Amino acid sequence: MKINTSKINLNKVKRFYNSFLENGLPNRKKEDWKFTDLEKILNSNFDELEPLREKENYKMEAFLKFDHYYLISINGELVNYNLKLSDGSQDKKSTNLTKISSLNDHPIYSKILKSDDKKVSSDNINIDEMLSMNLAFTDRGYSFQIFKDLDKPLVIYNFFDEKLENKLISNSNLISISNSKVKIIELNIDKSKSNYFKNTFQKFQINESEVDYYFVNYNKSNGFNYTKNIIEINDSKSKFGSKLKYFIFGSGSKFRKDDYEIFLDGENSFAKINSAAILKKSQHHEIKTKMSHSEPNCESYQKIKNILLNDSKGIFQGKVLVSDRAQKTNAYQLSKGLILDDESEFSTKPELEIYADDVKCSHGSTSGNIDKDAVFYLMTRGLSKKEATKFIIKGFLNDVVSEIADHQVRELIENHLEENIKNEN
Amino acid sequence: MLKLKELKASIGEKSIIKGLNLEINPGEVHAIMGPNGSGKSTLANVLSGKDGYTVSGSLKFEDENLQEISIEERARKGIFLAFQYPLEIPGVNTSNFLKTSLNSIRKANGKKELDTISLIKLIKEKASELNIDEKFLSRQLNVGFSGGEKKKNEILQMKLLEPKLSILDETDSGLDIDALRIVADGVNSFKNKNNSFLIITHYQRLLDYIKPDFIHVLSDGKIVKTGCSDLAKELEKTGYKNFN
Ligand SMILES: Nc1ncnc2c1ncn2[C@@H]1O[C@H](COP(=O)(O)OP(=O)(O)OP(=O)(O)O)[C@@H](O)[C@H]1O
Ligand SMILES: [Mg+2]
């Protein structure tokens, strides 16, 4: 596979482009890519990728039925938003309530572009091959800041249209939340008919805030997605600590690798990463996490649940790192795969690296087939095999779904999972 | 209602039921006793349609050939099995499951599906008859239930689904004295001239409460003796040694 750069100007980003050319795409010889040979996967799905340059600006509607703020992007480019608060105040008028902009003022992005370092260390960012590739081609994204509690959820609608065949989307987003309590729902709505590759770099800064974040792949998608998320949870003053609950619902994507580096940099911080997905038809999903505890009294929970069928692959690589300062850490990890046929696979690689002595850490991982006796049991109660299997599948994922506190969001997720269960077996 | 002729069932090379004859008419209560491993649960499984057995002989339920009928169809036609070891189904809400089960059976029998409110009312009513606390209904199906609670939950399902033939596989094992009485009352109040029972048990205690019309001794895959309620008392004294 090659990248067609004939139509783009690489002057400003030459060094990233060169570094990308030098290193190439990551393959399974790299520890971090052991289960996901990106080089091979992209080579077998694309002859050539062309960096997307067209920017669309047609109107797309926010469509969720409940009351919400929204932000809309098309193919990764911010096109519209509404953050009119219920009290009538608007983003621009009220002082620094929110600020939304496209890539141009993305502070981190411009900082990296300016710096000469290989590593922008203060920002926890390490410029690896995927980030070099991202920096070489990024031309879109959004950045927003929230400084005040939101009384309704904020929905980020990411639309992807039909014109993405063999395109490379490179985008960069920054979400910064301070002193607020917010719920954010990120929806990917995909109308693409053929393969494209999206390489996203995303950074979250969470300061003295409580954030519930839900990523939902809203429908079936032909996109191949790699997303690197850097999440910094800081807390300098408050004794309660910041809280992040991050849910990933990726069912329906052909390929995704969601890579999270979470930094618990403030005392008493809390982070939760939960995922539930149904993988089928040769889909390949990897969730990779690195949970870094660097301050005392923090808690982290990770729970990954995959249903697998039709030659699909689910992977969880989860690392927990506890520094010597981070006493009284609680860190838990659990991954489970429920495999419905002989061709599918669930792989996990948990890692603990602990330098403090007063910590509670655990990890567990299981994978197995559906319990035939359980199916029989339900069928003796009049349920068809399909219904019985569905009950068991939903029950298996319920562990994650039941942790969604907001009933509107829970309903959205239940429908999303239902759709993905229904369309198969 | 149920007619078994020369029923044989095996798993792989192992033959378990070795030519069994049994006829159960509407309104009758039959008990099956027999040593561990004699094939009692296997018989119950075969009647419910569980996969994995090679079955031969004739199995008729209301003159239909059971071998041609799937597991869920048998349930819908009125065969119910209270499991010796009810399964735990994580993440599945007990009352949701009961609702789905009841409605799928009603639907198959051409009855109107019940709405949620009537369902809940009905489920609560039956649960209270069995002294089952309502909080069990919002728990995950059988998950973390004690042995006795699981058994009571089976009887709750039986009472809700109103089967024609109820097969109770050691429902009495694991029940305390009071629960045994409640379960037996539950069965007796549900019993009428149209429905029948096949009660698998090791103890005559249950049979003191639910009077069987026939008691069969199953040994090594065959019914080796059939008698009336005195047979249970005799077995209690002498054990199965005369039948081996
Ligand atoms: N899947 C299987 N594979 C091999 N053997 C089996 C299987 N299932 C049952 N058996 C054997 O068949 C025989 C009958 O088992 P079954 O469970 O029907 O006995 P049971 O009469 O119900 O005993 P108990 O009183 O202990 O419940 C036993 O020897 C058992 O080990
Ligand atoms: Mg048994």
Side-chain angles (χ1 to χ4, degrees), chain A residues 378 381-383 387 391, chain B residues 92-107 112-124 137-138 141 153 156-157 160-161:
Chain A
L378 297 178
R381 279 20 179 183
L383 276 60
E387 287 169 321
F391 256 108
Chain B
V92 172
N93 175 278
T94 300
S95 94
N96 269 349
F97 157 71
L98 293 176
K99 286 188 251 173
T100 311
S101 166
L102 181 57
N103 265 342
S104 70
I105 284 179
R106 287 182 67 93
K107 196 171 151 197
K112 216 175 114 248
E113 290 179 58
L114 295 178
D115 59 41
T116 306
I117 296 170
S118 346
L119 280 166
I120 302 250
K121 193 168 159 264
L122 185 65
I123 293 170
K124 283 189 177 166
L137 302 173
S138 53
L141 184 54
N153 195 19
L156 171 61
Q157 293 171 46
L160 270 173
L161 303 180

Side-chain angles (χ1 to χ4, degrees), chain A residues 293-304:
Chain A
H293 284 259
S294 49
E295 292 294 319
N297 292 312
C298 294
E299 275 176 80
S300 68
Y301 295 86
Q302 304 182 58
K303 187 152 63 186
I304 309 299

Side-chain angles (χ1 to χ4, degrees), chain A residues 373 377 379 381-383 391, chain B residues 50 76 81 101 104 154 157:
Chain A
D373 289 339
Y377 181 64
M379 288 174 78
R381 279 20 179 183
L383 276 60
F391 256 108
Chain B
K50 191 175 183 184
R76 292 167 186 172
L81 169 59
S101 166
S104 70
E154 296 291 284
Q157 293 171 46

Side-chain angles (χ1 to χ4, degrees), chain B residues 37 39-42 84-85 169-170 200 202:
Chain B
K40 302 181 297 298
S41 295
T42 304
Q84 182 175 2
Y85 304 109
D169 191 356
E170 293 196 27
I200 297 169
H202 285 297

